[in-house]
Amino acid sequence: MDRIIETPESNYGQLTIAEAKLIQENLGEQINLSPMEGEIKTIAGADISLDINSEKVYAGMVVLSYPDLEPIAYSLVETINMFPYVPGYLAFREIPALLKVYEQIPVKPDCIMFDGNGILHARRLGIATHFGVLTDTVTLGCAKKKLAGNYADPGEMKGEYSLVTDKGDTIGYALRSKLNVKPVFISPGHKMSLKDSMDITLQCLGKHRLPEPTRRAHEFVNRFRIGELKEGFHELEQ
DNA sequence: GCGACAG
DNA sequence: ATCTTGTCGC
């Protein structure tokens, strides 16, 4: 039973899926979905980019002002792939790198939006929830595809949404983030309510399908991968 | 057994 | 996730 106490810092070692599942069930007891406290002044977007023919992982977080949504700083870290992509276990692949990215930020953001799910997960432990519980931070998830649950297609107008339910629980929303695009899936990660996750996401919508935090994070980690940006923490000129 | 399956 | 060309629309 020693192996299941492997930490993210150790890249979760060579965990088996059965062990990873036990870790998720364990973390599940600490999830906090009570209404968020305090005002949001900054929100970060988190994402990773992979090199198609190497083991390199380019992880990053972009901090934006809120509700202005202007990028004010970013943190980038390059690591090595240690865990494969397995549906339902994305956190074990991306969190080790994202923890380094987060530690590198001097003034922490009030909230973090992940490219993936929060509680919209079979065991309610998507990457946003996993990271939130691990670091005791306020998080939410925004995924481009459905991972679990059932939902009715939301109205076609920007801002319309429907509930995603699973086994009697409401675990998130299908949101039409822009006219004529497929919906994105929103769910709270940790230290915020279901409603908070929707309120915040609606405030983060711009001209694109993805909310500004994750859209910017995706943009920055890709620029990092192609050598346009350098590793480390950087503040942007305003 | 069958279908689903974040990035 | 990543690769890639054209195409449609603001």
Side-chain angles (χ1 to χ4, degrees), chain A residues 177-223:
Chain A
S177 53
K178 179 179 186 291
L179 181 64
N180 295 326
V181 297
K182 295 174 65 81
V184 290
F185 299 85
I186 308 302
S187 60
H190 188 54
K191 302 183 90 171
M192 76 163 63
S193 66
L194 196 64
K195 182 179 185 305
D196 288 333
S197 70
M198 177 53 72
D199 292 343
I200 293 169
T201 302
L202 289 175
Q203 283 296 310
C204 291
L205 297 185
K207 292 180 166 186
H208 310 266
R209 180 165 87 116
L210 295 187
E212 287 302 295
T214 48
R215 187 181 75 82
R216 288 297 196 176
H218 191 265
E219 175 197 331
F220 278 59
V221 293
N222 273 310
R223 289 172 62 188

Side-chain angles (χ1 to χ4, degrees), chain A residues 47 93 140 165 182:
Chain A
D47 192 18
R93 177 176 176 75
L140 74 164
T165 59
K182 295 174 65 81

Side-chain angles (χ1 to χ4, degrees), chain A residues 100-121:
Chain A
K100 292 183 178 180
V101 166
Y102 183 69
E103 290 168 3
Q104 192 171 253
I105 300 175
V107 179
K108 309 304 183 189
D110 298 322
C111 168
I112 310 172
M113 179 184 284
F114 290 78
D115 193 354
N117 297 295
I119 62 169
L120 203 168
H121 179 281

Side-chain angles (χ1 to χ4, degrees), chain A residues 2-238:
Chain A
D2 292 329
R3 301 194 58 210
I4 68 169
I5 62 170
E6 289 264 4
T7 63
E9 291 76 10
S10 67
N11 268 336
Y12 281 121
Q14 294 297 304
L15 288 182
T16 63
I17 294 302
E19 290 168 337
K21 184 178 180 182
L22 285 178
I23 289 176
Q24 293 182 330
E25 292 169 344
N26 222 317
L27 292 174
E29 298 167 28
Q30 302 169 56
I31 302 174
N32 174 358
L33 299 178
S34 54
M36 188 183 172
E37 296 172 19
E39 183 185 355
I40 298 179
K41 290 189 174 178
T42 61
I43 181 169
D47 192 18
I48 69 164
S49 180
L50 305 173
D51 193 315
I52 191 163
N53 40 22
S54 88
E55 295 289 81
K56 294 182 177 179
V57 175
Y58 300 87
M61 285 180 52
V62 178
V63 182
L64 323 194
S65 55
Y66 184 97
D68 298 46
L69 308 178
E70 287 296 327
I72 56 181
Y74 60 94
S75 174
L76 301 170
V77 170
E78 179 186 318
T79 60
I80 297 298
N81 236 333
M82 293 298 286
F83 200 88
Y85 168 64
V86 181
Y89 300 88
L90 177 66
F92 295 89
R93 177 176 176 75
E94 304 195 348
I95 280 185
L98 290 175
L99 279 177
K100 292 183 178 180
V101 166
Y102 183 69
E103 290 168 3
Q104 192 171 253
I105 300 175
V107 179
K108 309 304 183 189
D110 298 322
C111 168
I112 310 172
M113 179 184 284
F114 290 78
D115 193 354
N117 297 295
I119 62 169
L120 203 168
H121 179 281
R123 289 169 294 285
R124 315 300 182 247
L125 256 142
I127 185 169
T129 302
H130 193 131
F131 187 97
V133 170
L134 228 46
T135 61
D136 191 37
T137 54
V138 181
T139 65
L140 74 164
C142 174
K144 297 180 290 298
K145 297 176 185 174
K146 191 200 76 170
L147 171 64
N150 301 89
Y151 70 100
D153 202 40
E156 64 211 66
M157 302 308 292
K158 176 179 182 177
E160 292 199 89
Y161 60 86
S162 56
L163 301 177
V164 176
T165 59
D166 182 46
K167 300 168 184 172
D169 300 330
T170 294
I171 58 177
Y173 306 93
L175 166 68
R176 193 78 66 187
S177 53
K178 179 179 186 291
L179 181 64
N180 295 326
V181 297
K182 295 174 65 81
V184 290
F185 299 85
I186 308 302
S187 60
H190 188 54
K191 302 183 90 171
M192 76 163 63
S193 66
L194 196 64
K195 182 179 185 305
D196 288 333
S197 70
M198 177 53 72
D199 292 343
I200 293 169
T201 302
L202 289 175
Q203 283 296 310
C204 291
L205 297 185
K207 292 180 166 186
H208 310 266
R209 180 165 87 116
L210 295 187
E212 287 302 295
T214 48
R215 187 181 75 82
R216 288 297 196 176
H218 191 265
E219 175 197 331
F220 278 59
V221 293
N222 273 310
R223 289 172 62 188
F224 178 30
R225 177 171 55 76
I226 65 178
E228 208 173 299
L229 295 177
K230 296 179 180 178
E231 185 165 46
F233 177 78
H234 308 275
E235 292 190 354
L236 268 19
E237 310 299 339
Q238 285 298 296

